[in-house]
Amino acid sequence: MQQDILFGTYTKKTSQGIYHAILDTETKTISTPKNVIEIDSPTYLKLSNHELITVAKESDLGGVAAYSVTNEGFKHINSVLQPGANPCYVGIDEARQLVYTANYHKGQVDVYQIKPDQSLALTDTVTHQGNGPRPEQGSAHVHYTDLTPDNRLVVVDLGCDEVYTYDVSAQGKLSQVSVLKMEAGFGPRHIVFAPNSQYAYLAGELSSQLAVLKYDQATGSFEVLQIVKTIPETWTQHNGAAAIRISNDGKFVYLSNRGHNSLAVFAVKADHLVEFVEYADVCGDFPRDFDLDPSQKFVVVTNQNTDNATLFARDLQSGKLTCLQKDIVVPEGVCVCFTDQL
């Protein structure tokens, strides 16, 4: 079986934009990635109904771009750009045909409508205010915007140490429902939800911590149940936690460590709290993003500073990872996106 993968990248050095590769699950190898879209700084991307939505940048403008996926390749539909920094995350709302972006530098959430012709149009903007105690927390830094299991919008703000929940109207307008204040300096970055929709797992970039949260759908609020370290207690060098994923069966949580250069593996217990399993060496430097393939038997991680991706086999019972391939050339790789729409 073959799985398509798209890699988003920075384009500060040699990268040309978005790259495509194929994971062959029989030979357990990934093909040499090929550039398929030339675009500036496509640092995060998602696919929806044969449409690719990606972060985009042009000169001093930042925003999103839409491409249709055709048999001939990718066709640019439109871009919606604003003065200032480009966003760092893209979320897609299939039911309401909306796109959500997180803008780290502006502390801002933008909402776009996917119009019938597949073009994008801005419908709402919310800007956060606040700060935290760490040097990186001088202002609000929205790092994640995506749907909760009950189709609200959860927004993770690294600068304010807060997790917001918003209601979303059919027209793409946001209204705040609740906010969770994390410990000062936690630095929340990304969040994933358990399959039962009642629990969530939050990555703390600045604190190198993982928080287990209880999610109340009646109120849209979160409660902290557990906080654990994502790196060894003996690690004294710099580290920043980055991407977080949960297996489809909800039994394992994975988190990437930039500095320790590992994937931390945690088992989810019956009470939904976590216990440490292992650290898997990513065979590169600065693992910004990773994902599990649809079969859940493989994990692919991109290492930004060493321009390589690493392929792991994943044991479905223990959750442990075994390196299969580490020489996959992905220049400035920062996003991994498996897709069945190519």
Side-chain angles (χ1 to χ4, degrees):
M1 188 174 181
Q2 295 188 331
Q3 301 283 356
D4 290 290
I5 315 170
L6 292 176
F7 294 102
T9 70
Y10 277 109
T11 52
K12 298 176 180 179
K13 297 185 295 183
T14 61
S15 173
Q16 299 299 304
I18 296 173
Y19 289 74
H20 170 251
I22 296 174
L23 165 63
D24 188 317
T25 60
E26 297 300 320
T27 62
K28 300 181 180 180
T29 58
I30 290 179
S31 66
T32 301
K34 305 293 185 183
N35 180 226
V36 289
I37 299 178
E38 291 193 13
I39 183 174
D40 195 357
S41 292
T43 54
Y44 213 88
L45 54 92
K46 290 275 184 74
L47 283 103
S48 167
N49 299 323
H50 295 282
E51 180 173 10
L52 171 68
I53 311 295
T54 179
V55 169
K57 181 178 182 291
E58 292 181 15
S59 187
D60 59 350
L61 303 176
V64 287
Y67 291 81
S68 61
V69 181
T70 70
N71 292 333
E72 290 74 39
F74 298 90
K75 179 181 179 183
H76 182 248
I77 300 170
N78 81 318
S79 300
V80 183
L81 305 171
Q82 306 173 62
N86 46 301
C88 60
Y89 185 89
V90 174
I92 295 180
D93 184 337
E94 302 281 6
R96 287 177 289 233
Q97 284 295 281
L98 299 172
V99 172
Y100 309 103
T101 63
N103 196 302
Y104 177 90
H105 293 283
K106 295 180 178 180
Q108 183 173 297
V109 182
D110 287 319
V111 186
Y112 304 86
Q113 179 187 32
I114 304 175
K115 300 168 73 173
D117 64 358
Q118 292 188 301
S119 65
L120 301 177
L122 184 67
T123 63
D124 200 10
T125 295
V126 173
T127 303
H128 289 179
Q129 302 294 330
N131 55 67
R134 295 179 182 264
E136 304 92 337
Q137 295 179 302
S139 63
H141 292 307
V142 176
H143 219 310
Y144 178 98
T145 52
D146 219 326
L147 294 176
T148 63
D150 55 342
N151 288 316
R152 291 184 169 109
L153 186 71
V154 59
V155 176
V156 178
D157 194 315
L158 180 145
C160 302
D161 288 318
E162 291 174 334
V163 179
Y164 294 79
T165 309
Y166 290 91
D167 277 337
V168 186
S169 74
Q171 294 73 38
K173 300 294 183 181
L174 302 182
S175 55
Q176 186 177 318
V177 174
S178 70
V179 59
L180 168 69
K181 186 70 175 180
M182 296 298 296
E183 294 179 354
F186 182 85
R189 178 184 173 98
H190 280 196
I191 192 170
V192 292
F193 286 84
N196 69 4
S197 306
Q198 298 175 25
Y199 296 86
Y201 301 88
L202 178 68
E205 174 181 333
L206 304 183
S207 60
S208 294
Q209 292 179 323
L210 165 64
V212 180
L213 310 179
K214 181 77 165 63
Y215 179 61
D216 184 349
Q217 294 193 18
T219 61
S221 61
F222 292 92
E223 174 190 0
V224 179
L225 302 181
Q226 181 189 24
I227 294 179
V228 299
K229 294 291 290 184
T230 69
I231 51 175
E233 293 293 341
T234 54
W235 183 260
T236 57
Q237 301 176 54
H238 178 267
N239 185 73
I244 185 169
R245 305 287 184 180
I246 187 169
S247 57
N248 286 347
D249 60 12
K251 294 181 178 180
F252 297 96
V253 171
Y254 298 83
L255 190 147
S256 64
N257 285 308
R258 299 171 301 173
H260 189 249
N261 290 334
S262 63
L263 293 186
V265 184
F266 296 89
V268 178
K269 299 185 293 184
D271 58 3
H272 296 279
L273 303 184
V274 298
E275 60 182 4
F276 174 75
V277 174
E278 70 166 355
Y279 298 112
D281 185 345
V282 297
C283 304
D285 182 30
F286 219 70
R288 192 179 181 95
D289 193 30
F290 69 96
D291 205 357
L292 285 68
D293 84 306
S295 76
Q296 303 284 284
K297 295 179 180 178
F298 300 93
V299 172
V300 176
V301 58
T302 51
N303 300 304
Q304 180 184 337
N305 291 348
T306 43
D307 300 320
N308 76 301
T310 304
L311 173 65
F312 293 92
R314 175 177 175 267
D315 187 291
L316 301 183
Q317 301 305 314
S318 70
K320 292 184 176 182
L321 304 176
T322 302
C323 180
L324 297 173
Q325 186 181 0
K326 58 185 179 181
D327 57 350
I328 307 155
V329 178
V330 179
E332 304 171 77
V334 293
C335 179
V336 179
C337 180
F338 282 95
T339 178
D340 60 0
Q341 299 185 35
L342 300 184

